């Protein structure tokens, strides 16, 4: 179910975006390049909910990324509010996001341009109901659920 | 390669823990750890701030492993969890 919930176009877009910046700067750049930083800044602000993960929603390549996708699916995040980026598709993205967020691991969740945390934090916010509140506040939840009764 | 003992030593030296639990779920390859850390240093910090703090203090090890799951509690939180 989670699989069909999310659109895939964003992946292609980002891959291209990062390929371009990679081409420009080549391999000499050790620290986060301005180009990459700008691309990341844009990426986290462009969509209300942004997940950097290993693999894609249809095919997560790591248990932690899988769990994060499942949580977002359980929360019923609206398709058009979520963008996911596959860090395995690009080395510069993979290293860049760690430095950008000052967070050493993947997945990483952003809500409204703000870094929220990794898988552990995502799970605990889900359990406590805080994640639901945060998503609701920014109108990132799908409007209706067939069951009707979404917990408040 | 990282082992649980190295990780525990590092936690002991950096985080003033009153209690540490380490699980090595990697089956020996040193890539997947779950840790519980109880420390007064977490007092007054949000979960995100606690995790950031731990990630920084344990940077040399976190960088090397594939998976690092942390649960950070203050001594008071830990006591009340034990009693429930």
């Amino acid at each position: 179910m989670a699989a069909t919930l999310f659109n895939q176009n964003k992946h292609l877009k980002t891959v291209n975006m990062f390929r371009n910046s990679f081409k420009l700067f080549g391999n000499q750049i050790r620290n986060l390049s301005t180009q990459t930083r700008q691309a990341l800044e844009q990426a986290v602000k462009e969509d209300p909910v942004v997940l950097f993960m290993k693999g894609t929603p249809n095919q997560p390549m790591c248990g932690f990324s899988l769990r994060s996708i499942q949580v977002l699916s359980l929360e019923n995040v609206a398709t058009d509010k979520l963008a996911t980026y596959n860090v395995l598709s690009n080395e510069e993205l993979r290293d860049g996001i760690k430095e950008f967020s000052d967070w050493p691991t993947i997945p990483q969740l952003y809500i409204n341009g703000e870094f929220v945390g990794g898988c552990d934090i995502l799970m605990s916010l889900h359990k406590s109901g805080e994640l639901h509140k945060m998503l609701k506040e920014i109108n990132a939840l799908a409007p209706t659920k067939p069951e009707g009764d979404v917990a408040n | 390669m990282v082992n649980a003992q190295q990780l525990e030593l590092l936690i002991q030296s950096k985080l003033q823990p009153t209690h540490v639990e380490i699980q090595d779920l990697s089956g020996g390859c040193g890539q997947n750890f779950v840790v519980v850390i109880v420390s007064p240093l977490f007092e007054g910090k949000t979960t995100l701030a606690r995790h950031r703090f731990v990630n920084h203090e344990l940077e040399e090890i976190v960088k090397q492993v594939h998976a690092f799951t942390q649960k950070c509690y203050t001594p008071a939180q830990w006591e009340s969890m034990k009693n429930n």
Side-chain angles (χ1 to χ4, degrees):
Chain A
M1 184 169 168
T4 52
L5 205 64
F6 306 111
N7 80 39
Q8 294 287 297
N9 299 338
K10 292 275 164 49
H11 295 293
L12 298 172
K13 194 173 72 184
T14 329
V15 171
N16 290 335
M17 184 160 86
F18 283 96
R19 269 208 191 118
N20 290 341
S21 86
F22 192 65
K23 251 187 230 153
L24 274 170
F25 281 83
N27 287 321
Q28 306 115 322
I29 303 299
R30 285 280 159 270
N31 292 321
L32 189 54
S33 71
T34 317
Q35 207 85 3
T36 307
R37 180 174 287 281
Q38 278 168 356
L40 287 169
E41 251 159 36
Q42 199 196 332
V44 302
K45 281 179 187 149
E46 209 167 47
D47 297 276
V49 184
V50 179
L51 183 72
F52 295 88
M53 63 182 290
K54 289 183 179 171
T56 64
N58 285 327
Q59 203 166 16
M61 300 297 280
C62 165
F64 297 92
S65 289
L66 169 65
R67 236 169 289 161
S68 304
I69 280 294
Q70 285 171 335
V71 164
L72 294 177
S73 171
L74 280 172
E75 293 282 1
N76 201 25
V77 171
T79 322
D80 59 339
K81 305 283 183 180
L82 174 73
T84 66
Y85 295 106
N86 180 7
V87 302
L88 299 180
S89 68
N90 184 300
E91 192 75 13
E92 183 161 354
L93 170 60
R94 185 176 179 172
D95 294 338
I97 189 63
K98 291 180 183 177
E99 201 179 323
F100 180 75
S101 310
D102 188 22
W103 191 260
T105 51
I106 309 290
Q108 300 187 6
L109 181 76
Y110 276 79
I111 293 181
N112 241 13
E114 296 274 340
F115 180 61
V116 174
C119 188
D120 299 338
I121 290 180
L122 182 55
M123 301 278 286
S124 80
L125 290 177
H126 172 62
K127 277 184 205 140
S128 70
E130 282 166 271
L131 183 62
H132 187 82
K133 244 186 271 171
M134 290 162 82
L135 293 167
K136 203 172 179 181
E137 243 166 55
I138 60 159
N139 279 321
L141 299 174
T144 49
K145 234 187 167 181
E147 302 92 284
D149 192 21
V150 180
N152 290 305
Chain B
M1 192 181 122
V2 176
N3 63 45
Q5 206 181 355
Q6 283 173 299
L7 184 55
E8 169 146 15
L9 277 175
L10 192 65
I11 293 171
Q12 292 287 1
S13 72
K14 300 264 189 168
L15 298 170
Q16 304 171 25
T18 57
H19 180 76
V20 183
E21 284 172 29
I22 297 180
Q23 268 181 292
D24 182 351
L25 300 183
S26 69
C29 79
Q31 287 289 299
N32 187 352
F33 291 96
V34 178
V35 301
V36 174
I37 305 168
V38 182
S39 165
L41 298 180
F42 298 142
E43 218 85 60
K45 287 190 170 77
T46 64
T47 311
L48 178 60
R50 289 175 193 188
H51 285 217
R52 266 202 207 286
F53 177 63
V54 170
N55 288 338
H56 271 281
E57 293 297 321
L58 307 182
E59 194 183 3
E60 50 190 281
I61 276 180
V62 173
K63 265 202 303 212
Q64 293 176 47
V65 302
H66 169 72
F68 184 74
T69 300
Q70 47 173 311
K71 298 190 169 119
C72 309
Y73 305 107
T74 63
Q77 281 177 321
W78 184 245
E79 279 306 310
S80 77
M81 275 174 50
K82 267 199 304 196
N83 296 333
N84 284 329

